[in-house]
Amino acid sequence: MVSRVIPVDSFDLVIFGGTGDLARRKILPGLFRRFRSGQMPAEARIIGAARSDMDDAGYRQMIREAIAEFGSEEKNDAGGIDAFLGRLHYVAIDATGDGGWSQLRDLMRDGVIRAFYFSVAPSLFGALAERLHQHGIADASSRIVVEKPFGRDLASAKALNATLAEHFDEGQIYRIDHYLGKETVQNLMAVRFGNVLFEPLWNSHYIDHIQITVAETVGVTGRGSYYDKSGAMRDMVQNHLMQLLCLIAMEPPSTYDADTVRDEKLKVIRALQPVEPHQIVRGQYEASQDGPSYRDDAENPRSFTESFLALKCHIANWRWAKVPFYIRTGKRMKARSSEIAVVFKDLGHTIFEGDTARHRNILSIRLQPNEGMDLQVTIKEPGPGGMRLVDVPLDMTFADALGPDREDAPDAYERLIMDVIRGNQTLFMRGDEVEAAWAWTDPIIEGWEARNDVPKLYDAGTAGPEDAMMLMHRDGRRWREIKG
Ligand code: NAP
């Protein structure tokens, strides 16, 4: 396949928190790959900013090491990386102080796109936004990129939105949810709205239920103190899983532009019905041969935070009347696997004598591993023996179907950063979406707190607590197997 990399316009990108984990692990290795692919214009510049005292040379060395550690190895040839590092600068700035800002202003070029990545704690967003304006660095055409967590409840999300809105229009704010940058997630829209096959069946007449699973094998070691204040609902469900749910469930937008798509997603969130306590299972992993318990990882022996969550919910509109959506996510599970499964209804009648098996069409959309989709269809088992039916997947693993050139394809972060430069907000969360998502999750979390809800323990390396199985079994359904 021919690579079709279209360079973006020239830019100056300032990364506040440019020395932090996210910048070193994701943002800069990603930008290097875009540079290598020819998408980042040769004269574009990246300016790291943080409190640490460092010069350009020191910052370039730090990022060289970060790319060696976190970048994809085969791409780290010396020629490419030196040219890339030459595009990097560093300014020592305290978000809450006044030093360094004039130096940053002098570094910025006129006539190119200005983007500011707030890769720092959300408590610093307000100070950064204010100083960018105070020092004449940001204007009406500048963009800011902010990371999750976007609040920890509706009130804090509203406060954060209000703080940003004092200095930037909604059209300038790019709230990153890297799940939306995944190839498969965008393909979900391509499959739904680019084919005649699926959309006519995409409703309660033909779909029995939908399952969304995001399973991780890692625990919370190393980030336990952060995670323990958050838990699976705040860390995964309120953002990533709800975004997937929106894309699966939304009405066809009339055009593929940012606000039209986000309007449709917002309608889904607003149509989500409240969830009853018996429709939710919270879990916490126990110690195993392979690692400590959640409570040890979190260094909180009395923690009631969930490392696993499964729930059943409904969307109150015509399309999805009575169709349950089952979603689950957890840490220290049996495999690293993310999948959306659209399970179609049984045939009302079979003409094949003696066939007692339940044959179902299932569209499986895999986010990881092996990004791709397959559609389970029923065919005749080949060979003698009459008309025996068997279910087989029509497999569309992207790496197989689209060829090796895809190695140059951007990963989620890279794609989203390039979208910021292009000024395309389609794959970013709008402020009202984030608030609506909190408005749905807040009462659930408040219910747990009011009841002192205790999560069910589960063995590491499994599919979560037994009660999560029962959530489905009670409805005569079962979860898809978690396969790595
Ligand atoms: P981190 O490793 O703690 O880095 C924080 C960065 O902010 C450092 O560069 C730090 O450098 C800088 N900083 C701290 N206080 C500052 C101040 N007053 N003024 C200017 N710079 C300051 O954090 P991180 O993991 O990179 O996370 C950054 C943000 O992204 C957080 O909001 C986090 O929740 C979010 N996030 C991170 C990840 C991830 O994988 N790491 C994933 C999703 C979201 P100095 O100490 O030198 O100032």
Side-chain angles (χ1 to χ4, degrees), residues 153-203:
D153 53 23
L154 178 58
S156 53
K158 275 186 168 169
L160 213 44
N161 276 337
T163 301
L164 295 179
E166 279 177 34
H167 303 284
F168 295 95
D169 291 339
E170 184 60 38
Q172 297 179 274
I173 304 171
Y174 291 72
R175 294 176 193 78
I176 283 214
D177 183 327
H178 71 277
Y179 269 57
L180 291 180
K182 289 178 185 281
E183 188 80 9
T184 324
V185 171
Q186 291 164 76
N187 237 310
L188 187 55
M189 284 192 272
V191 164
R192 274 193 68 187
F193 306 129
N195 293 284
V196 74
L197 283 184
F198 297 104
E199 201 48 31
L201 307 181
W202 211 261
N203 56 54

Side-chain angles (χ1 to χ4, degrees), residues 17-22 50-52 93-95 119-122 124 147-149:
T19 57
D21 180 71
L22 182 68
R51 289 169 305 180
S52 306
I93 284 184
D94 184 334
S119 183
V120 293
L124 296 175
E147 275 289 341
K148 81 164 195 185

Side-chain angles (χ1 to χ4, degrees), residues 73 118 207 242 276 299 328 336 340 353 439 459:
E73 285 140 41
F118 290 5
I207 292 177
M242 282 188 71
E276 300 295 327
E299 295 176 16
R328 67 179 163 167
R336 180 167 177 260
I340 303 168
E353 224 170 275
D459 292 333

